[in-house]
């Protein structure tokens, strides 16, 4: 029932402990649901309450710490022994008087970990400022270290099984993009296209179902295409509009993002000019990507390519991608941007998102790639171009074909 | 284009400032995207990077502080003056060397707020332990106070316009539940039912589109119905299975949650016994709810009701609900549970979720309610009962009707 062999989980724990030792961390407290899942298999929508996985340097088994009603999920969905699943009562949830970190501190003290060096995911969404304050009070004899991104850095290089899951996610991404783009035409509402995309992201294929992506499909249209992170509305598409579709296929929490720009009818001169520049830049980056290069060097290829046309991009070109939970499918480790010294290695995976945004328009034509032994390969098959939806052709019997 | 009149935003700011004064807070830094939206109208999936809205006690306008590529959205989607939208460059994003709180601290210093009393949403997901550390370093002369849930407490009582949005969300919830339940039968996969639900949640009605809910549809089936927060898989429903469907309709970020339990074929003796007990308890709570009662007193009605049948529920009975962003649609203020002293007032809204979970099964039949002048009313119309899907009747021509 676990998505990976027990040996793979143990290898991950082993690599995590090596990094813990390097940093002098005895006990790593993990708040990131992706890292909890990576090390234990735990997968549930319970991260809206405080919960943690503790990795103790000299103990073979992780400990799951969370809400009472979620403990059954931790027992059912992980390789952790049942006695290592420790739950707090419901009166700790969203309470003015009780905080889950009081409980977690008390448990760590009881099991003899209260005086150790404790690593914390200091900048993760689900480890709040108050959580840290309360944990410090509950563990007055512990020392605290920043363990942020420690596990994320283990996740940077994927196993073959993880790559296989991403290939399935890519099939879902291609299919969701196909059906989403198919639905786009003048008079259709943004929400109807988003609904089609969601349907296909979630139902997946006949062979395997889809999972929810960590970010909803982003779908700005018209002049909102200059604003990257707007979600859909019930605005109707107009003839001549462009629409940016950014989505991810997701399989067992592994993501393959994919963005395309769609023109309803003839593209604007701006898009017509930009699309080949972006595609050329992407092609050059894909040509250049290979083990040994740094992320910064890869970004330089892109910067030079678009620079030939007098274009600059403020935002980073891409980021490491894979396992994720809301609100982000990015892994927060390597970015493809100036100065990033991460050396590319086989089975690293990136979302290359060479998006350009201007006052009233924008363009996104992205690829998710895997570094191979000699170069790189992309996950999805969707055509790498500006997608033009030609006006309806009215069928002679009155039916519409598009 | 804003979902509320400018006067409503100003009333919200006014009520927020009253609470700031009570707590001695000069500058409130808001990380909760729901609170950012509530006070400014800002609505975008940008909360995966650090961003804030600052409310300064003696300034009429909020300040939006966020990522450069999101500033255009803040200008387009809020009533804030463009010069109050202040953005940090992209090299602050997920960086080892730069942190957005360094930038925000610097800006606050530059505008003369560096020595004031600063309120922080200490336990909100999007205000991390590191964010607080860096902000303290960037503002060495400020004093810090816990402003957690300050704005959430303003949100507790809804305006009529907010209630109207929740009524629209309820129509979406009813429709998504109808189509989801309709799709449930032996041989169908959980993911296919989740896909149907998503389609109808997002496309909404012909008159208005739907928004994404803060929590994905939860859809455990078979023995997983004893585990509340599992998301769908590609498991096929079996004859005799029960399925719990928990979803929310969402309109302009306002949620109306709705949970039902579905039996495929004749219900198990356990469900048959529990369903009328739960419905009776819900009916008694709805009968009792009215202004003046406390949340704790309301929970007692439920506890006594199910106590007559020898049943206890560990988890809280309900929570305040409305505007929300992932990972939660709950407002984290009032809970319907023992000891909660919140006094019910007209236009408070709660999700009443009398869920019971056991070793291998569970039941959820929920209602979202609004406190009225004299009592309460529910938002959705879906029948309040265990939903039984009778086996297929094979049509004489071979077609299936269910």
């Amino acid at each position: 029932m676990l998505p990976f062999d027990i040996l793979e989980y143990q290898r991950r724990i082993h690599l995590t402990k090596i990094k813990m030792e390097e940093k002098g961390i005895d006990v790593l407290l993990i708040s990131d649901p992706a890292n909890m899942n990576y090390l234990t298999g735990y997968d549930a929508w319970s991260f809206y309450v405080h919960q943690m996985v503790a990795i103790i340097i000299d103990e073979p088994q992780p400990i799951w710490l969370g809400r009472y009603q979620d403990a059954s999920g931790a027992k059912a969905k992980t390789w952790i022994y049942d006695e290592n699943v420790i739950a707090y009562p419901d009166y700790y949830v969203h309470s003015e008087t009780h905080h889950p970190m009081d409980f977690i501190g008390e448990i760590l003290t009881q099991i003899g970990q209260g005086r150790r060096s404790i690593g914390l995911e200091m900048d993760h969404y689900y480890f709040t400022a108050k959580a840290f304050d309360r944990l410090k009070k509950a563990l007055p004899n512990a020392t605290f270290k920043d363990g942020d991104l420690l596990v994320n850095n283990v996740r940077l290089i994927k196993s073959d099984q993880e790559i296989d899951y991403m290939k399935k996610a890519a099939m879902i991404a291609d299919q969701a993009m196909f059906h989403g783009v198919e639905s786009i035409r003048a008079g259709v509402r943004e929400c109807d296209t988003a609904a089609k995309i969601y349907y296909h992201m979630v139902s997946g294929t006949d062979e395997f179902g889809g999972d929810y992506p960590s970010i909803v499909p982003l779908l700005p249209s018209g002049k909102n295409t200059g604003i990257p992170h707007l979600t859909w509305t019930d605005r109707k598409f107009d003839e001549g509009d462009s629409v940016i579709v950014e989505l991810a296929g997701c399989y067992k929490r592994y993501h393959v993002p994919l963005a395309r720009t769609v023109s309803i009818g003839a593209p604007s001169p701006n898009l017509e000019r930009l699309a080949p520049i972006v595609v050329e830049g992407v092609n050059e980056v894909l040509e250049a990507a290979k083990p040994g290069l740094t992320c910064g060097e890869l970004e330089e290829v892109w910067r030079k390519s678009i620079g030939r046309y007098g274009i600059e991009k403020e935002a980073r070109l891409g980021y490491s991608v894979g396992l994720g939970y809301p609100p982000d499918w990015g892994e927060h480790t390597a970015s493809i941007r100036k100065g990033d010294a991460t050396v590319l290695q086989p089975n690293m995976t990136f979302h290359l998102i060479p998006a350009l945004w201007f006052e009233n328009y924008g363009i996104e034509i992205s690829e998710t790639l895997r570094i191979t032994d000699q170069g790189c390969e992309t996950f999805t098959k969707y055509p790498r171009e500006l997608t033009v939806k030609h006006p309806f052709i009215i069928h002679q019997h009155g039916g519409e074909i598009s």
Side-chain angles (χ1 to χ4, degrees), chain A:
Chain A
M1 195 165 89
L2 284 165
F4 295 93
D5 192 278
I6 189 92
L7 293 179
E8 182 153 348
Y9 290 106
Q10 285 175 345
R11 190 183 57 82
R12 295 168 178 185
I13 296 274
H14 175 70
L15 294 173
T16 299
K17 287 185 176 174
I18 290 174
K19 286 187 190 287
M20 286 168 63
E21 241 171 356
E22 283 168 12
K23 294 205 170 202
I25 292 171
D26 302 322
V27 179
L28 181 64
L29 294 181
I30 293 164
S31 313
D32 180 344
N35 292 339
M36 291 175 70
N37 176 322
Y38 187 71
L39 297 178
T40 73
Y42 185 67
D43 178 27
W45 193 290
S46 57
F47 41 87
Y48 69 94
V49 298
H50 290 288
Q51 55 179 17
M52 282 177 155
V53 161
I55 305 293
I56 301 174
I57 195 91
D58 38 20
E59 294 281 348
Q61 275 265 330
I63 298 174
W64 181 95
L65 299 143
R67 186 183 188 181
Y68 178 77
Q69 65 180 244
D70 296 317
S72 50
K75 288 174 186 168
K77 292 283 176 181
T78 71
W79 59 277
I80 299 180
Y81 295 152
D82 283 4
E83 57 267 34
N84 276 25
V85 172
I86 302 172
Y88 58 79
D90 214 63
Y91 55 78
Y92 280 92
V93 173
H94 304 156
S95 156
E96 282 180 8
T97 49
H98 293 75
H99 196 284
M101 291 303 139
D102 307 344
F103 178 91
I104 288 176
E106 175 63 27
I107 295 291
L108 288 174
T109 303
Q110 283 179 20
I111 62 172
Q113 306 297 324
R115 297 175 173 275
R116 300 193 82 174
S117 161
I118 294 181
L120 300 164
E121 295 184 315
M122 289 292 287
D123 210 18
H124 192 267
Y125 312 110
Y126 303 128
F127 187 61
T128 66
K130 183 169 282 177
F132 186 35
D133 269 6
R134 296 292 277 247
L135 201 62
K136 280 189 286 192
K137 288 200 181 74
L139 293 167
N141 301 310
T143 53
F144 295 98
K145 296 205 167 164
D146 190 357
D148 204 38
L149 305 180
L150 187 151
V151 181
N152 304 50
N153 276 306
V154 177
R155 282 162 47 200
L156 198 50
I157 297 174
K158 274 69 183 169
S159 70
D160 290 342
Q161 179 75 71
E162 289 180 290
I163 295 294
D164 183 58
Y165 287 168
M166 290 181 73
K167 286 181 178 170
K168 289 189 161 75
M171 288 171 69
I172 295 171
D174 270 331
Q175 166 185 296
M177 184 63 79
F178 175 83
H179 288 284
V181 169
E182 193 185 48
S183 76
I184 293 173
R185 62 190 71 178
V188 167
R189 302 176 303 177
E190 289 178 3
C191 60
D192 292 319
T193 291
K196 284 270 171 66
I197 290 171
Y198 250 125
Y199 181 86
H200 290 283
M201 285 194 312
V202 171
S203 70
T205 73
D206 287 347
E207 287 73 41
F208 51 86
D211 208 342
Y212 62 90
S214 295
I215 304 177
V216 297
L218 299 168
L219 201 81
S221 70
K223 70 187 166 91
N224 282 342
T225 50
I227 309 177
H229 293 119
L230 297 185
T231 52
W232 63 85
T233 67
D234 47 16
R235 173 183 187 273
K236 283 183 182 166
F237 301 126
D238 275 337
E239 194 61 38
D241 270 358
S242 66
V243 185
I244 291 179
V245 182
E246 184 174 349
L247 56 78
C250 185
Y251 182 74
K252 294 195 187 292
R253 309 297 330 127
Y254 284 83
H255 293 76
V256 169
L258 176 65
R260 285 293 179 270
T261 304
V262 181
S263 176
I264 304 175
S268 69
N270 280 326
L271 285 188
E272 204 148 32
R273 183 180 64 91
L274 283 172
I277 297 172
V278 170
V279 171
E280 184 180 324
V282 171
N283 288 341
E284 288 180 19
V285 169
L286 293 174
E287 192 66 36
K290 62 176 183 188
L293 216 65
T294 69
C295 285
E297 287 164 347
L298 194 58
E299 196 270 348
E300 209 178 316
V301 174
W302 160 256
R303 196 152 27 92
K304 282 187 179 159
S305 179
I306 61 169
R308 288 198 298 270
Y309 302 94
I311 297 172
E312 277 181 56
K313 175 174 160 60
E314 195 260 349
R316 63 183 173 178
L317 177 65
Y319 49 81
S320 184
V321 72
L323 187 62
Y325 282 86
D328 199 4
W329 57 48
E331 295 188 316
H332 297 199
T333 48
S335 285
I336 303 177
R337 65 176 154 197
K338 202 173 174 172
D340 191 303
T342 311
V343 177
L344 298 177
Q345 294 176 64
N347 277 6
M348 286 187 177
T349 51
F350 294 92
H351 184 210
L352 194 72
I353 170 88
L356 298 172
W357 300 290
F358 302 92
E359 179 73 23
N360 286 312
Y361 67 99
I363 186 166
E364 296 185 24
I365 299 173
S366 85
E367 293 288 348
T368 298
L369 65 91
R370 168 171 89 95
I371 303 296
T372 58
D373 288 342
Q374 312 242 311
C376 82
E377 63 184 24
T378 55
F379 280 98
T380 57
K381 296 185 166 56
Y382 204 86
R384 189 180 309 147
E385 61 191 16
L386 178 67
T387 308
V388 180
K389 296 277 293 190
H390 294 291
F392 302 147
I393 297 158
I394 305 299
H395 190 270
Q396 55 179 354
H397 299 296
E400 275 184 351
I401 52 169
S402 62

